[in-house]
Amino acid sequence: MLHSELSTSSTSHDTAGSLGCYQADSLSNMAASSNAEQTQLQDMEEDDAGTEEREMESDEEEEVGMGVENSDEEEEDSSEDEKENEAEIQRLEEQLSINAFDYNCHVDLIKLLKQEGELFRLRKARQKMSELFPLTEEIWLDWLNDEIRLTEEEPNREKVYELFERATKDYICPDIWLEYAQYSIGGMGSPGGIDKVRSIFERAVTAVGLHMTKGQTVWEAYREFENAILSTIQPPPGRIPSREEQELLNTQLERIHTLFRRQLAIPLMEMEATYAEYEEWSEHGVPETVSNQYKKALQQMEKCKSFEESLLVAEPPKLAEYQAYIDFELKEGDPARIQITFERALAENCLVPDMWTKYTIYLDRQLKIKDLVLSTHERAVRNCPWTMGLWKSYLLALERHGADHQTVSDIFEKALNAGFIQATDYVEIWQAKLDYLRRRVDFSKESSKELEELRAAFSRSLDYMKQDVEERFGESGDPSCMIMQIWAKIEALHCKNMQKARELWDSIMTKGNAKYANMWLEYYNLERSYGDPVHCRKALHRAVQCTSDYPEHVCEVLLTFERVEGTLEEWDIAVQKTETRLNRVNEQRAKAAEKEANLARQEEERAEQRRKAKVDKKVQKKVQKGNVAGEKRKAEQDDYRNEWNQDSAPKRQRGNGDQNTEEYMETETGLFVRNAPPGYKHAPLGTKTVQQGGAAPAQRQNDGKPELRNDESSVFISNLAYTLEQPESKLRTVFETCGPIKHIRPVFSNKGNFKGYCYVQFETSVSVPEALKLDRQELEGRPMFVSPCVDKNRNPDFKVFKYNTSMEKHKIFISGLPFTCTKEQLEEICKGHGTIKDVRMVTYRSGKPKGLAYVEFSDESQASQAVLKLDGMEIEGNKISVAISNPPSRNMMDRPASSRPSTDLMPRQVYGSRGKGRTQLSLLPRSLHRQSALVSKVENGTVAEQVPATESATEETRPLSNSDFAKMLLNK
């Protein structure tokens, strides 16, 4: 329906000639009035110029001397710039002679030539680029404007028309169509000029008239052109037009009415204004049929309005929004709207192969219009030449629509030179060509030109795989020799040439396939179907001797064959061969198993030796530390006695410590404690923290109580740099936007060094979700990890970080970077290959670079192109390696408490939500570690002694006082 609305009737040459005469008179009148205005303006400009000259005479006399020197310097600078630009132009031209498919090099060359004003060289450079790539709208408009200026004085405008025709074929661009129509208006004074303008406008509204946001401008330009024609044929006021003039006037009015009706039947943005304009313009109002069509179009526009609004607010390339829009139009089922939506999406996502694939599949299966289908396939392979699937679909479309054999062959040769990224792509494109050639052969004839061409193509494909593909990729891409298998089947089935088929299978087996049972069975089935029993038996006997993966199966097939076909003597030979082969296989398997067991045993022994050495080393370190600590304790024993005997310590609260359900915050040593002994203070470590970390912790109100942490209103920050100065103040600046902060506690080592993580507790739990949104935000060059505080003892299966272990096709991994390379430099290098979403430089905790980086592109095709272009590039003398990001799988670390045996005498260590810290210091006096067997339990500073059964039920355990602890230490 929409296609019929976009069509229009042609006009007669007589009408066009009359309109041309009226247009010429109108243009001459406009020229006369404009000449009068120009004369007045020239007189005013001469008066102003005389005044300015008199005012500037004195200034010019003073600047004569300086002007000479400045002009010389400017000439020298300009000449140096010209030399540099010329050298750069020659370098780019030389680079393009080596690699003609360097897109960025083409763009840079065109910019330099335009800057230097080399118009003829610029035209040649643009021509070469357009032959290899479809040009963007900006490049086409620049080229067209330059060509229009060059041909302004030439009577022949056909060259520019041809250039416009090429420009409209690359993408659907409303601006290019408007420029085309505008240029054609300049030549409507020539014979047939008005008809040509109308023809271009008709093609424009057919191509982009359905564009919901920009189509309206094309329709309005078309109506303005027809209104301008109408103004030239209207008679002056007071004069009655002749019959011929009235007919011309009615015809022109009907054209404008038709344009209004056609536009109002199409859903376009701001179509209400067009309807109001039509009501005002039409003398007899809007017809009812036009109103009904307008209402239907308005309803359709309302359905699409949400998709259009999402496109307006989305950032380029808007791929997800276009996908949703296309799915909606496919459900609606209007071919014209589906086509324009696809074209709009491809104009902004021209390097997305999946979008081209989806579009071409729709055209192949639904529209099936030859010119539209083939032109779309051609544009697809020009935009994404590295995608084998698009070339394969193009070849099938050419065959489907009856293209001549030479055209198909030429397209196939272009596909071979497209530069696929995988060896298997070349195998598939060759299979597509061979399938095409096989369908051309008439096998009822013993020999034909097509059959010889097919055999020559098979031979060429094998040579191509061996020479070109293996040389480039290090592999043929066809390890199972599928091309040769298909050739053998064709020779056996269609050509009845088993001798050629056997030769091909002999070649297949010599390429490393003789050890696979499935390959021998394929050959056996071919002989079974088209050969004879003698060659079947021969193939199976060879299979028994050569197969190494499934020899039992091959032996069973041989015995089954002899049961059906063989004599007794042949049966005996088969049984003997199979038994001998299986015995040998079993011996080889036994030896391999024994060897594997020996290797495993040796590895276990080495691991045991390493474990023992590690244990001995730890014991030796403990002994050395114990000796030093013993000497120090003897020297300070009197001081400890005086300190413990003082009565200034507060009274100890009685009761079971297990009744307290609050969890205390981690101390500066990285340990978690409950119910610390009275008088416990953090002063020594706090002093050291101030010296090393640079941020003094806030003075606690009660030094006798450890600091409490509420997990529900806290977050855990990790992956911070060890060298971070003043972490508390910097983190407060970052997290204060999330809500009121109660306190921030960085964690430091015994030496006062920052350990790279900390806790942030807010006043309320409402701030925690906002803080978690800051996860992976960079702080001084490192992404900080923000996670909720969770006690892993209560939630052992809780996982904070989930690393991606699958291939990230839109992200590349770069290694070998120089340590001096910055994020900005790397982004500058990579941005020429696509739209960059993120660049992350990998560093150590200390902030020093590792020479690694991740660069995330907007889609997979850009990442693939970047790998091809950047891999092996040298940056500051370093040769970098670039690959698609494929993170390795990460092994789960053992839980902290799983590797240490539990004992009855030692209390179970309580770890926080992050597991045990590096420093595992016991807070219990050594005396408690040396209790006799009577001590059964130590928990929270309380010792429960074993008592007889009759007394244990009535007697409560007595908590130890400070004096008891002192006696234990002094009696040591």
Coordinates of all heavy atoms in Angstrom, one line a residue, residues 492-531:
A492 N 32.9 -41.1 -6.9 CA 32.3 -42.4 -6.8 C 30.9 -42.5 -7.2 O 30.4 -43.4 -7.9 CB 32.5 -42.9 -5.4
L493 N 30.1 -41.5 -6.8 CA 28.6 -41.5 -7.0 C 28.3 -41.1 -8.4 O 27.5 -41.8 -9.1 CB 27.9 -40.6 -6.0 CG 26.4 -40.4 -6.1 CD1 25.7 -41.8 -6.0 CD2 25.9 -39.4 -5.1
H494 N 28.7 -39.9 -8.8 CA 28.3 -39.4 -10.1 C 29.1 -39.8 -11.3 O 28.6 -40.0 -12.4 CB 28.3 -37.8 -10.0 CG 27.3 -37.3 -9.0 ND1 25.9 -37.4 -9.1 CD2 27.5 -36.6 -7.8 CE1 25.4 -36.8 -8.1 NE2 26.3 -36.4 -7.3
C495 N 30.5 -39.9 -11.1 CA 31.4 -40.1 -12.2 C 31.7 -41.6 -12.3 O 32.4 -42.0 -13.2 CB 32.6 -39.3 -12.0 SG 32.3 -37.5 -12.0
K496 N 31.3 -42.5 -11.3 CA 31.6 -43.9 -11.3 C 33.1 -44.1 -11.4 O 33.6 -45.1 -12.0 CB 30.9 -44.6 -12.4 CG 29.4 -44.3 -12.6 CD 28.7 -44.6 -11.3 CE 27.2 -44.2 -11.5 NZ 26.4 -44.4 -10.2
N497 N 33.9 -43.3 -10.8 CA 35.4 -43.4 -10.9 C 35.9 -43.7 -9.5 O 36.4 -42.8 -8.8 CB 35.9 -42.0 -11.4 CG 37.4 -42.1 -11.7 OD1 38.1 -43.1 -11.5 ND2 38.0 -41.0 -12.3
M498 N 35.9 -45.0 -9.2 CA 36.3 -45.4 -7.8 C 37.9 -45.4 -7.7 O 38.4 -45.2 -6.6 CB 35.9 -46.9 -7.6 CG 34.5 -47.0 -7.0 SD 34.2 -46.0 -5.5 CE 35.4 -46.8 -4.4
Q499 N 38.5 -45.5 -8.9 CA 40.0 -45.4 -8.8 C 40.4 -44.0 -8.3 O 41.3 -43.9 -7.4 CB 40.6 -45.6 -10.2 CG 42.1 -45.6 -10.3 CD 42.7 -46.7 -9.4 OE1 42.1 -47.8 -9.2 NE2 43.9 -46.5 -8.8
K500 N 39.8 -42.9 -8.8 CA 40.1 -41.6 -8.4 C 39.7 -41.4 -6.9 O 40.4 -40.8 -6.1 CB 39.4 -40.6 -9.2 CG 39.7 -39.1 -8.8 CD 41.1 -38.7 -9.0 CE 41.3 -37.3 -8.7 NZ 42.8 -36.9 -8.8
A501 N 38.6 -42.0 -6.5 CA 38.1 -41.9 -5.1 C 39.1 -42.6 -4.2 O 39.4 -42.0 -3.1 CB 36.7 -42.5 -5.0
R502 N 39.7 -43.7 -4.6 CA 40.6 -44.4 -3.7 C 41.9 -43.6 -3.6 O 42.5 -43.6 -2.5 CB 40.9 -45.8 -4.3 CG 39.7 -46.7 -4.2 CD 40.0 -48.1 -4.7 NE 38.8 -49.0 -4.7 CZ 38.2 -49.5 -5.7 NH1 38.7 -49.2 -6.9 NH2 37.2 -50.2 -5.6
E503 N 42.3 -43.0 -4.7 CA 43.5 -42.2 -4.6 C 43.3 -41.0 -3.7 O 44.3 -40.7 -2.9 CB 43.9 -41.6 -6.0 CG 44.3 -42.7 -7.0 CD 44.5 -42.1 -8.4 OE1 44.3 -40.9 -8.6 OE2 44.9 -42.9 -9.3
L504 N 42.2 -40.4 -3.7 CA 41.9 -39.3 -2.8 C 41.9 -39.8 -1.3 O 42.4 -39.1 -0.4 CB 40.5 -38.7 -3.1 CG 40.5 -37.9 -4.4 CD1 39.1 -37.5 -4.8 CD2 41.3 -36.6 -4.3
W505 N 41.3 -41.0 -1.1 CA 41.3 -41.5 0.3 C 42.7 -41.9 0.8 O 43.0 -41.7 2.0 CB 40.3 -42.6 0.5 CG 39.0 -42.2 0.8 CD1 37.9 -42.1 0.1 CD2 38.6 -41.7 2.1 NE1 36.8 -41.6 0.8 CE2 37.2 -41.3 2.1 CE3 39.2 -41.6 3.4 CZ2 36.5 -40.9 3.2 CZ3 38.5 -41.1 4.4 CH2 37.2 -40.8 4.3
D506 N 43.5 -42.3 -0.1 CA 44.9 -42.6 0.3 C 45.6 -41.3 0.7 O 46.4 -41.3 1.7 CB 45.7 -43.2 -0.9 CG 45.3 -44.7 -1.1 OD1 44.7 -45.3 -0.2 OD2 45.5 -45.2 -2.2
S507 N 45.3 -40.2 0.0 CA 45.9 -39.0 0.4 C 45.4 -38.5 1.7 O 46.1 -37.9 2.5 CB 45.6 -37.9 -0.7 OG 46.2 -36.7 -0.4
I508 N 44.1 -38.7 1.9 CA 43.5 -38.3 3.2 C 44.2 -39.0 4.4 O 44.5 -38.4 5.4 CB 42.0 -38.6 3.2 CG1 41.3 -37.6 2.2 CG2 41.4 -38.4 4.6 CD1 39.8 -38.0 2.0
M509 N 44.4 -40.3 4.2 CA 45.0 -41.1 5.3 C 46.4 -40.7 5.6 O 46.9 -40.8 6.7 CB 44.9 -42.6 5.0 CG 43.5 -43.1 5.0 SD 42.6 -42.8 6.5 CE 41.0 -43.5 6.2
T510 N 47.1 -40.2 4.6 CA 48.5 -39.8 4.8 C 48.7 -38.5 5.5 O 49.8 -38.1 5.8 CB 49.3 -39.8 3.4 OG1 48.6 -38.9 2.5 CG2 49.3 -41.1 2.8
K511 N 47.6 -37.8 5.7 CA 47.6 -36.5 6.3 C 47.3 -36.6 7.8 O 46.7 -35.6 8.4 CB 46.6 -35.5 5.6 CG 47.0 -35.2 4.2 CD 46.0 -34.2 3.6 CE 46.4 -33.8 2.2 NZ 47.7 -33.2 2.1
G512 N 47.6 -37.7 8.4 CA 47.4 -37.8 9.9 C 46.1 -38.3 10.3 O 45.8 -38.3 11.5
N513 N 45.3 -38.8 9.4 CA 43.9 -39.3 9.7 C 43.9 -40.8 9.8 O 42.8 -41.3 10.2 CB 42.9 -38.8 8.7 CG 42.8 -37.3 8.7 OD1 42.4 -36.7 9.7 ND2 43.0 -36.7 7.5
A514 N 45.0 -41.5 9.6 CA 44.9 -43.0 9.6 C 44.7 -43.5 11.0 O 44.3 -44.7 11.2 CB 46.2 -43.6 9.1
K515 N 44.9 -42.8 12.1 CA 44.8 -43.3 13.4 C 43.4 -43.1 14.0 O 43.1 -43.6 15.1 CB 45.7 -42.5 14.4 CG 45.5 -41.0 14.4 CD 46.5 -40.4 15.3 CE 46.4 -38.8 15.3 NZ 47.4 -38.2 16.1
Y516 N 42.5 -42.6 13.2 CA 41.1 -42.3 13.6 C 40.2 -43.4 13.0 O 40.1 -43.6 11.8 CB 40.6 -41.0 13.3 CG 41.4 -39.8 13.9 CD1 42.2 -39.0 13.1 CD2 41.5 -39.7 15.2 CE1 42.9 -38.0 13.6 CE2 42.3 -38.7 15.8 CZ 43.0 -37.8 15.0 OH 43.8 -36.9 15.5
A517 N 39.4 -44.0 13.9 CA 38.5 -45.1 13.4 C 37.4 -44.6 12.5 O 37.0 -45.2 11.5 CB 37.9 -45.8 14.6
N518 N 36.9 -43.4 12.8 CA 35.8 -42.9 12.0 C 36.2 -42.6 10.6 O 35.4 -42.7 9.7 CB 35.2 -41.6 12.7 CG 36.2 -40.5 12.7 OD1 37.4 -40.7 12.9 ND2 35.7 -39.2 12.5
M519 N 37.4 -42.2 10.4 CA 37.9 -41.9 9.0 C 37.9 -43.2 8.2 O 37.5 -43.3 7.0 CB 39.3 -41.3 9.0 CG 39.3 -40.0 9.8 SD 38.3 -38.7 9.0 CE 39.2 -38.4 7.5
W520 N 38.4 -44.3 8.8 CA 38.5 -45.6 8.1 C 37.1 -46.1 7.8 O 36.8 -46.7 6.8 CB 39.2 -46.6 9.0 CG 40.7 -46.5 8.9 CD1 41.5 -46.0 9.9 CD2 41.6 -46.7 7.8 NE1 42.8 -45.9 9.4 CE2 42.9 -46.4 8.1 CE3 41.3 -47.2 6.5 CZ2 44.0 -46.6 7.3 CZ3 42.4 -47.4 5.6 CH2 43.7 -47.1 6.0
L521 N 36.2 -45.9 8.8 CA 34.8 -46.4 8.5 C 34.1 -45.6 7.4 O 33.3 -46.1 6.7 CB 34.0 -46.2 9.8 CG 34.5 -47.2 11.0 CD1 33.6 -47.0 12.2 CD2 34.4 -48.6 10.5
E522 N 34.4 -44.2 7.3 CA 33.9 -43.5 6.2 C 34.4 -44.1 4.8 O 33.6 -44.2 3.9 CB 34.4 -42.0 6.3 CG 33.6 -41.2 7.3 CD 32.2 -40.9 6.8 OE1 32.0 -40.9 5.6 OE2 31.3 -40.6 7.7
Y523 N 35.7 -44.4 4.8 CA 36.2 -45.0 3.6 C 35.6 -46.3 3.3 O 35.2 -46.7 2.2 CB 37.7 -45.1 3.7 CG 38.4 -45.8 2.5 CD1 37.9 -45.6 1.2 CD2 39.6 -46.5 2.7 CE1 38.6 -46.2 0.2 CE2 40.2 -47.1 1.6 CZ 39.7 -47.0 0.4 OH 40.3 -47.6 -0.7
Y524 N 35.4 -47.1 4.4 CA 34.8 -48.5 4.2 C 33.4 -48.3 3.7 O 32.9 -49.1 2.8 CB 34.8 -49.2 5.6 CG 33.9 -50.4 5.7 CD1 34.2 -51.6 5.0 CD2 32.7 -50.3 6.4 CE1 33.4 -52.6 5.1 CE2 31.9 -51.4 6.5 CZ 32.2 -52.6 5.8 OH 31.4 -53.7 5.9
N525 N 32.6 -47.4 4.2 CA 31.2 -47.2 3.7 C 31.2 -46.8 2.3 O 30.3 -47.2 1.5 CB 30.5 -46.2 4.6 CG 30.3 -46.7 6.0 OD1 30.1 -47.9 6.2 ND2 30.3 -45.8 7.0
L526 N 32.2 -46.0 1.9 CA 32.2 -45.6 0.5 C 32.5 -46.8 -0.4 O 31.9 -47.0 -1.5 CB 33.3 -44.5 0.3 CG 33.5 -44.0 -1.1 CD1 32.3 -43.1 -1.5 CD2 34.8 -43.2 -1.3
E527 N 33.5 -47.7 0.0 CA 33.8 -48.9 -0.7 C 32.6 -49.8 -0.7 O 32.3 -50.5 -1.7 CB 35.0 -49.6 -0.2 CG 36.3 -48.9 -0.5 CD 36.8 -49.1 -1.9 OE1 36.1 -49.8 -2.6 OE2 37.8 -48.6 -2.3
R528 N 31.9 -49.9 0.4 CA 30.7 -50.8 0.5 C 29.6 -50.4 -0.4 O 28.9 -51.2 -1.0 CB 30.2 -50.7 2.0 CG 29.2 -51.8 2.4 CD 29.9 -53.1 2.5 NE 29.0 -54.1 3.0 CZ 29.2 -55.4 2.9 NH1 30.2 -55.9 2.1 NH2 28.3 -56.3 3.4
S529 N 29.5 -49.0 -0.6 CA 28.4 -48.6 -1.5 C 28.7 -48.6 -3.0 O 27.8 -48.9 -3.8 CB 28.0 -47.1 -1.1 OG 27.6 -47.1 0.3
Y530 N 30.0 -48.2 -3.3 CA 30.3 -48.0 -4.7 C 31.5 -48.9 -5.2 O 31.8 -48.9 -6.3 CB 30.6 -46.6 -5.0 CG 29.6 -45.6 -4.5 CD1 29.8 -44.8 -3.4 CD2 28.3 -45.5 -5.1 CE1 28.8 -44.0 -2.9 CE2 27.3 -44.7 -4.6 CZ 27.6 -43.9 -3.5 OH 26.6 -43.0 -3.0
G531 N 32.1 -49.6 -4.2 CA 33.3 -50.4 -4.6 C 33.0 -51.9 -4.7 O 31.9 -52.4 -5.1

